[in-house]
Amino acid sequence: MAIGVFGDVYEAEDAVRTPDAQVQFASAFTRPLYWMFEMGQAALEPVRLMADAGRLYYRNPVNPLSHTGVGRSMSAAFEMLERSTRRYGKPEWGIDEVTIGAVRVPVTVETVWERPFCRLLHFRRDFARPPRRPQPRMLIVAPLSGHYATLLRGTVQTLLETHDLYITDWVDAREVPMSAGRFDLDDYIDYLIEMFRHMDGGMHVVGVCQPAVPVLAAVARMEAEGDPQVPASMILMGGPIDTRENPTAVNDFAQERGIDWFRRNVITTVPFPYPGFMRQVYPGFLQLHGFVSMNLERHLRAHADMFGHLVKGDGDSAAKHREFYDEYLSVMDLPAEYYLQTLQTVFIDHALPKGEMTHRGEKVDPSKIRNVALLTIEGENDDISGVGQTRAAQTLCSSLPEDMRVHYLQPTVGHYGVFNGSRFRSEIAPRIADFTLSHNWPKKGHNRGA
């Protein structure tokens, strides 16, 4: 039986989970694309090493040229070349402590649950003395949409001050061997249900962007089955619940192209020697191309500014640029089955708001949700999930009483500002903390409707 599955699993579904029966998504053109990319990276390695050596040479204070405008320009040019040819790996969390009530509390990151495609991390705070303020348990479901969970580092640092925090750490698909089977949207929902049960219910779950749909679906399926281990509340932030509301360029692109175009043009096969050799994926390097092309002018301007900062010796501004792009340029591969099913269900068919979404053959019905409080948060200038797309969850969860539902629209922030930045810290996070305290069950796992 698959993880978190309700009832029986169809034999046909079991069949397609075996490695020998993988559905062939990639076209003849895209299948070797990953191999070609790896060969290109290998060919650029000498250039990157040369650029790195040049950067060190012209930056070395022993070199008289490092103190001249020419030397600083050469060092800046070599650094920009090295960074543009580098492979960015998974960033570290870098969260060793958190300040709570003017006291610095050590933080240890530990894995408390694990499956082939995901790990559940716990940010354990080692209090010398328990805090007076209640610390509700919170599970942040990070997006499985290209970037690593560390993109939410700022979100974690802020909410860690008021919550006992857990987060999903999705695994790069190229690191998962074929023997682990496939992973699709149904499996994603299974994983969430299993995590809720592992935490014994009663926690507060936060779905940031893409996870809003599977989080809502997982809670709806558990409520339909009368499962007492549902979360106490769910907070959906900038998520594509109904992409028919104020469709953005991302939504229009999916509608115009259709699922067959994506199947033929963006799915490729993981090459040797990665553990996921022969797994079909939507590769990170193609996703990064899409991310950058959406705001190409902004990224070009940012890199031009960094070059100027390096030449002028403005180390603080250059360091901020490095910190942002080290995270932004770190991307992971997505399983082809998950990516295509999500694209079809959420962005093309609009299955959830139409009442047509299913999980393991069972209808996903948000009107069954009666015990899980709902907070939806949107950004006024969000160009990824338009205003109204997340709020649609309020309409779908029609059985929730008014005192268990809240919607908040944050002025003057875009998509990233919904879950990070100064506005998030000062205006959004306090609302989340108040909401979780207001709907915190007195006993772990207690379902108030039971």
Side-chain angles (χ1 to χ4, degrees), residues 76 80 301-314 317-318:
M80 299 302 292
R301 184 168 60 250
H303 280 74
D305 291 343
M306 181 184 178
F307 181 84
H309 295 320
L310 290 171
V311 173
K312 294 176 183 178
D314 186 354
S317 298

Side-chain angles (χ1 to χ4, degrees), residues 358-377:
T358 61
H359 168 252
R360 304 296 181 201
E362 297 291 335
K363 181 181 178 181
V364 173
D365 185 1
S367 69
K368 299 293 185 182
I369 300 176
R370 295 182 172 87
N371 303 288
V372 184
L374 173 64
L375 169 62
T376 51
I377 301 174

Side-chain angles (χ1 to χ4, degrees), residues 6-310:
F6 297 94
D8 296 329
V9 182
Y10 300 113
E11 293 182 1
E13 187 173 1
D14 281 338
V16 298
R17 289 178 182 280
T18 61
D20 294 336
Q22 290 282 315
V23 179
Q24 300 301 307
F25 295 123
S27 66
F29 170 74
T30 60
R31 191 179 302 277
L33 197 59
Y34 215 136
W35 273 270
M36 296 167 62
F37 173 78
E38 290 293 331
M39 287 191 294
Q41 287 294 314
L44 285 172
E45 185 66 13
V47 177
R48 191 190 70 79
L49 293 175
M50 179 200 71
D52 197 30
R55 176 181 63 87
L56 294 174
Y57 175 76
Y58 283 103
R59 181 174 293 179
N60 193 326
V62 178
N63 184 354
L65 288 175
S66 66
H67 304 286
T68 67
V70 173
R72 288 194 296 270
S73 297
M74 292 298 293
S75 175
F78 278 123
E79 177 167 345
M80 299 302 292
L81 178 59
E82 188 274 332
R83 291 183 63 84
S84 64
T85 56
R86 182 194 303 178
R87 295 291 295 273
Y88 291 83
K90 181 180 179 180
E92 297 292 331
W93 282 101
I95 301 177
D96 301 319
E97 63 179 19
V98 61
T99 302
I100 302 177
V103 177
R104 291 184 177 180
V105 179
V107 175
T108 303
V109 184
E110 55 186 7
T111 301
V112 296
W113 178 94
E114 187 171 3
R115 293 293 182 270
F117 289 89
C118 186
R119 289 182 291 268
L120 180 61
L121 304 183
H122 179 211
F123 292 86
R124 179 169 56 83
R125 299 166 302 171
D126 299 317
F127 291 104
R129 180 180 307 175
R132 294 181 179 179
R133 177 190 174 99
Q135 303 283 306
R137 293 178 305 136
M138 174 175 283
L139 167 59
I140 298 179
V141 183
L144 179 53
S145 56
H147 287 104
Y148 292 94
T150 51
L151 188 68
L152 302 184
R153 185 183 293 102
T155 315
V156 170
Q157 288 175 321
T158 301
L159 295 177
L160 199 54
E161 298 174 9
T162 52
H163 295 83
D164 181 15
L165 209 59
Y166 298 75
I167 193 169
T168 57
D169 184 28
W170 300 103
V171 178
D172 191 333
R174 73 184 180 191
E175 302 298 327
V176 183
M178 290 285 287
S179 59
R182 47 181 268 151
F183 183 84
D184 58 20
L185 184 58
D186 284 343
D187 294 304
Y188 192 124
I189 296 171
D190 286 343
Y191 273 32
L192 294 183
I193 294 171
E194 184 71 8
M195 289 181 213
F196 298 162
R197 291 173 175 167
H198 175 81
M199 296 178 67
D200 202 16
M203 89 297 292
H204 304 272
V205 59
V206 179
V208 182
C209 187
Q210 169 271 320
V213 171
V215 165
L216 185 59
V219 172
R221 289 292 297 119
M222 294 181 76
E223 286 272 60
E225 296 290 327
D227 195 319
Q229 294 178 309
V230 292
S233 76
M234 56 180 168
I235 298 98
L236 308 181
M237 308 174 66
I241 299 296
D242 188 352
T243 57
R244 298 172 299 178
E245 298 285 341
N246 289 319
T248 63
V250 176
N251 308 144
D252 292 338
F253 186 81
Q255 283 287 322
E256 293 168 1
R257 291 293 191 268
I259 195 66
D260 289 335
W261 185 91
F262 289 96
R263 184 179 290 111
R264 292 192 307 267
N265 291 279
V266 304
I267 304 302
T268 185
T269 305
V270 176
F272 182 83
Y274 291 110
F277 172 55
M278 293 305 294
R279 179 177 293 282
Q280 297 200 54
V281 297
Y282 177 25
F285 63 86
L286 282 183
Q287 297 173 59
L288 186 59
H289 177 271
F291 297 152
V292 173
S293 63
M294 286 179 60
N295 296 285
L296 181 59
E297 184 178 350
R298 183 188 305 173
H299 291 297
L300 290 175
R301 184 168 60 250
H303 280 74
D305 291 343
M306 181 184 178
F307 181 84
H309 295 320
L310 290 171

